[in-house]
Amino acid sequence: MEPEGLGAAGLPPEGPADNVMELRLPARQENVGVVRVAVAAFASGLPFTLPELEELRVAVSEAAGNVVLHAYGYPEEAAGGEIAVRARIAGGALTVEVADTGRGIADVAAARRPEFTTSSDPEHLGLGFTFMEQFTDALEVESAPGRGTRVRMTKRPHGGA
Amino acid sequence: MELECEPRGGRLIVRVTGDLDLSSAATFRSRVDGWLADTASRDLLLNLRHVSFIDSVGLGAILGRLRGLQRTGGHLAIVEPEGAVKAILKIGGIDKVAAVYTSERAAVAAWGADERGA
Ligand SMILES: Nc1ncnc2c1ncn2[C@@H]1O[C@H](COP(=O)(O)OP(=O)(O)OP(=O)(O)O)[C@@H](O)[C@H]1O
Ligand SMILES: [Mg+2]
């Protein structure tokens, strides 16, 4: 019997299979750069322009940076915590999920507002979510206090045009 | 990230190359603050022309230096980069709080004009 959904040539009938990349890394600041480089390389499977790839690098870095800074009680308790990244190219769009199993966000709507921060460092502006929103086509944030946070961003070449 | 510093006539020029982000912001803060103190400079020109990447933490580090300068009546001037880095500076409102130039030459010329005006 043929595997479900596969056509005669072993390909799904509706075109090439989705491309998926998964990464799991310790939640350390030096790994934020690893995540952004990996996702940008993966994204080059779609016809993004260079400025769009730059925007993507910012959005992904903000999501991964938030895991490092906020999810696990940086820097003391961060040991052991992970950044989980899943990127998928399907239907001409890139979807990137950045997840952690850290402390979660009590009020996601408040956290997404520009200049909202729980950081005690006066130089943290609270603009991370604003950049994710500005530089992608869709941003979803799911979070459960004590369980973790998942940020999902979708970006299409040429803003979907 | 690489930093280069050039004191010039009571002012400080700092040239930044590479990524100004979560992992380099602390170095940026301490070195720029150290140079400002060591050279007793009141004004800072940050040349960001060769910054390839900036995130919210990097932007925060720039605005943090601005706040320090403002406390002593100093000024911040920026030589702006291109692309997403420029867009981030704009969203962060840097053009409202600092003088933004397209080249270091133009920024230094504006300093000179200030002096002649004073
Ligand atoms: N993965 C996460 N886990 C726990 N809390 C988070 C997470 N991501 C964001 N937050 C919360 O949401 C707030 C807003 O995040 P945002 O990235 O917009 O700003 P920031 O990180 O505080 O500052 P900036 O990004 O400008 O340096 C954070 O201060 C933090 O309280
Ligand atoms: Mg952030």
Side-chain angles (χ1 to χ4, degrees):
Chain A
M1 206 180 106
E2 289 234 327
E4 208 180 315
L6 292 186
L11 286 173
E14 318 249 10
D18 298 352
N19 197 12
V20 177
M21 174 180 76
E22 289 185 341
L23 295 171
R24 277 175 50 188
L25 291 157
R28 292 204 296 257
Q29 63 177 31
E30 63 268 32
N31 284 335
V32 173
V34 176
V35 171
R36 76 167 165 258
V37 169
V39 172
F42 181 77
S44 59
L46 285 173
F48 285 114
T49 62
L50 282 178
E52 286 169 341
L53 286 175
E54 275 190 69
E55 293 174 351
L56 179 69
R57 295 199 310 146
V58 175
V60 167
S61 297
E62 294 298 343
N66 278 351
V67 174
V68 173
L69 287 174
H70 305 299
Y72 304 108
Y74 178 82
E76 295 83 10
E77 305 143 45
E82 283 187 337
I83 316 174
V85 180
R86 187 182 161 84
R88 173 187 288 270
I89 293 176
L94 172 75
T95 304
V96 183
E97 291 180 353
V98 178
D100 63 70
T101 54
R103 64 169 51 130
I105 302 173
D107 184 343
V108 168
R112 288 180 63 157
R113 271 179 220 130
E115 293 176 41
F116 176 95
T117 181
T118 56
S119 173
S120 55
D121 183 335
E123 296 192 4
H124 280 170
L125 304 168
L127 288 178
F129 278 126
T130 305
F131 291 152
M132 290 181 236
E133 187 122 40
Q134 290 265 338
F135 291 147
T136 63
D137 298 310
L139 170 68
E140 291 164 61
V141 184
E142 287 167 39
S143 191
R147 299 236 309 276
T149 302
R150 176 185 307 274
V151 169
R152 183 183 296 110
M153 296 172 283
T154 305
K155 193 167 178 67
R156 292 175 180 279
H158 324 306
Chain B
M1 176 194 65
E2 277 166 44
L3 297 174
E4 186 189 300
C5 132
E6 184 187 332
R8 200 187 283 190
R11 288 153 162 166
L12 185 70
I13 301 173
V14 174
R15 303 183 186 98
V16 191
T17 305
D19 296 354
L20 181 48
D21 63 0
L22 176 61
S23 55
S24 60
T27 305
F28 173 83
R29 286 184 198 192
S30 65
R31 292 186 63 192
V32 173
D33 286 351
W35 284 329
L36 282 168
D38 292 350
T39 59
S41 302
R42 223 179 54 153
D43 301 320
L44 173 65
L45 168 56
L46 272 183
N47 187 341
L48 305 179
R49 195 94 205 140
H50 300 291
V51 170
S52 46
F53 180 81
I54 190 169
D55 64 6
S56 60
V57 179
L59 178 65
I62 294 175
L63 292 173
R65 307 289 70 65
L66 169 70
R67 247 173 264 134
L69 294 169
Q70 284 173 335
R71 275 195 288 274
T72 54
H75 298 92
L76 175 67
I78 300 254
V79 177
E80 70 180 358
E82 298 291 329
V85 184
K86 181 173 169 174
I88 285 196
L89 296 179
K90 186 142 183 72
I91 298 168
I94 205 117
D95 51 331
K96 297 192 197 83
V97 290
V100 179
Y101 300 94
T102 50
S103 72
E104 194 174 304
R105 181 190 293 257
V108 170
W111 270 352
D114 276 1
E115 251 145 39
R116 283 191 297 276

